[in-house]
């Protein structure tokens, strides 16, 4: 076990004993462990690399108080309500008991999260922002890969929001998407970024939930349905994208098997 360092916490900025922090919370990573395999650790598969890892994206970053803040304001709730196997996907179940408000031309089915008591949009939003902030404030090693996002001038306002020191930052919106699939291999997609026209999209996915943070001066939070800061707290479901994502993941896994990668 490594000796815990006494350094500045990245969130509260105070000098404290740091914890071995996770980019994706440990409780969620435990849910994707394949307990039936001799090596139950998560499998990382992309177009070019494939490997298993017992310590995905860990480093000393936060103090115990800030770790607890992240846990109680988003991680615990998301862990309990995300996909946990064929018999437990509480957010999806809550949506299925409600009628969507509309279906957009691009196939996005929208639910008004604010009217569904079982869905806590504030916890979903805080969780999304905490993971994306962690991916931007630190470079994370994940086997041969490095995960790091660029938030530029939006990094500090986001830190202040997560600390409860300022309101939701300007020029940002959070979008949460829930999978429509009834069953699939539990998976996590680490944070990535892509450019837009006058904005940038940062995204990651865990166990049936996809989180997007759209950042930039051209972000139209009034005209675009979003989970936050919209008072309706819209939640999206896109069956066509769910099927495409599943097919893409299966194709990558099949290619890894063809190259001789066989998890045991």
């Amino acid at each position: 076990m490594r000796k815990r360092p006494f350094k500045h916490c990245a969130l509260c900025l105070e000098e404290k004993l740091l914890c071995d922090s996770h980019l994706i919370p440990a409780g969620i990573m435990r849910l994707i462990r394949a307990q039936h395999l001799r090596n139950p650790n998560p499998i990382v598969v992309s177009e070019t690399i494939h490997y298993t890892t017992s310590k995905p994206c860990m480093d000393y970053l936060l103090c115990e108080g800030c770790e607890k803040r992240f846990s109680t304001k988003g991680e615990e709730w998301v862990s309990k309500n995300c996909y946990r196997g064929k018999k437990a996907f509480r957010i999806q179940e809550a949506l299925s008991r409600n009628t969507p408000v509309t279906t957009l031309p691009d196939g996005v089915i929208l639910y008004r999260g604010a009217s569904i008591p079982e869905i806590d949009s504030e916890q979903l939003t805080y969780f999304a922002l905490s993971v994306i902030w962690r991916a931007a404030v630190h470079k994370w090693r994940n086997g041969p890969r490095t995960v790091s996002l660029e938030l530029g001038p939006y990094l500090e306002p986001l830190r202040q929001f997560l600390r409860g020191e300022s309101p939701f930052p300007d020029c940002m919106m959070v979008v949460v998407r829930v999978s429509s699939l009834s069953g699939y291999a539990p998976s996590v997609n680490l944070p990535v970024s892509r450019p837009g026209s006058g904005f940038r999209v940062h995204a990651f996915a865990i166990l049936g939930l996809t989180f997007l943070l759209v950042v930039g001066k051209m972000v139209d939070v009034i005209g675009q349905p979003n989970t936050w800061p919209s008072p309706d707290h819209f939640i999206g479901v896109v069956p066509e994208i769910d099927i495409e994502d599943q097919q893409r993941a299966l194709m990558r896994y099949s290619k890894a098997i063809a190259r001789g990668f066989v998890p045991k």
Side-chain angles (χ1 to χ4, degrees):
M1 182 179 293
R2 295 186 295 173
K3 184 178 180 180
R4 293 170 59 186
F6 195 82
K7 294 183 178 180
H8 283 93
C9 168
L11 186 63
C12 68
L13 305 182
E14 298 179 11
E15 194 168 287
K16 293 183 178 180
L17 193 64
L18 299 186
C19 301
D20 208 353
S21 303
H22 294 69
L23 173 57
I24 303 296
I28 288 174
M29 294 304 296
R30 281 194 291 269
L31 294 175
I32 67 171
R33 287 169 61 87
Q35 299 296 345
H36 62 287
L37 296 179
R38 191 168 63 209
N39 180 358
N41 294 313
I43 302 169
V44 178
V45 178
S46 73
E47 292 289 352
T48 57
I49 58 175
H50 34 272
Y51 57 94
T52 59
T53 176
S54 61
K55 295 183 178 180
C57 296
M58 297 170 60
D59 209 346
Y60 291 111
L61 184 73
L62 305 175
C63 68
E64 291 183 4
C66 289
E67 281 282 356
K68 184 175 181 180
R69 182 178 184 84
F70 278 0
S71 179
T72 58
K73 293 183 73 65
E75 292 175 6
E76 292 178 358
W77 190 91
V78 170
S79 178
K80 291 177 182 177
N81 290 275
C82 65
Y83 177 79
R84 297 179 62 92
K86 294 182 179 180
K87 296 182 179 180
F89 191 179
R90 293 177 181 174
I91 296 180
Q92 187 189 73
E93 294 163 7
L95 294 181
S96 69
R97 293 191 290 268
N98 288 266
T99 302
V101 293
T102 188
T103 299
L104 302 179
D106 58 1
V108 178
I109 303 170
L110 286 180
Y111 292 82
R112 187 174 180 272
S115 64
I116 304 176
E118 300 95 328
I119 294 181
D120 193 328
S121 300
E122 186 172 355
Q123 295 255 2
L124 284 169
T125 296
Y126 192 93
F127 173 78
L129 295 176
S130 73
V131 172
I132 289 173
W133 174 82
R134 275 176 277 193
V137 79
H138 185 73
K139 290 185 178 180
W140 301 84
R141 292 292 300 171
N142 185 45
R145 300 175 61 192
T146 298
V147 179
S148 181
L149 303 183
E150 177 58 54
L151 282 176
Y154 302 100
L155 183 62
E156 177 58 15
L158 184 51
R159 183 195 70 82
Q160 293 176 6
F161 171 76
L162 293 171
R163 277 284 297 166
E165 298 171 350
S166 64
F168 188 83
D170 294 331
C171 304
M172 289 188 187
M173 70 178 182
V174 174
V175 177
V176 179
R177 212 176 73 218
V178 177
S179 175
S180 61
L181 302 178
S182 58
Y184 47 83
S187 62
V188 167
N189 294 338
L190 296 175
V192 294
S193 297
R194 65 176 184 270
S197 180
F199 60 87
R200 195 166 188 84
V201 180
H202 307 284
F204 69 99
I206 59 103
L207 296 164
L209 303 176
T210 299
F211 301 89
L212 301 96
L213 173 64
V214 187
V215 179
K217 294 182 179 180
M218 298 302 291
V219 172
D220 181 7
V221 298
I222 298 177
Q224 299 293 325
N226 58 81
T227 308
W228 206 273
S230 166
D232 292 304
H233 305 324
F234 289 114
I235 304 292
V237 176
V238 194
E240 185 175 337
I241 291 181
D242 294 335
I243 294 172
E244 290 175 357
D245 287 347
Q246 184 185 54
Q247 291 174 341
R248 189 179 300 111
L250 290 173
M251 186 177 299
R252 288 178 177 176
Y253 190 75
S254 296
K255 288 181 178 178
I257 296 297
R259 296 188 190 110
F261 175 72
V262 182
K264 297 178 180 180

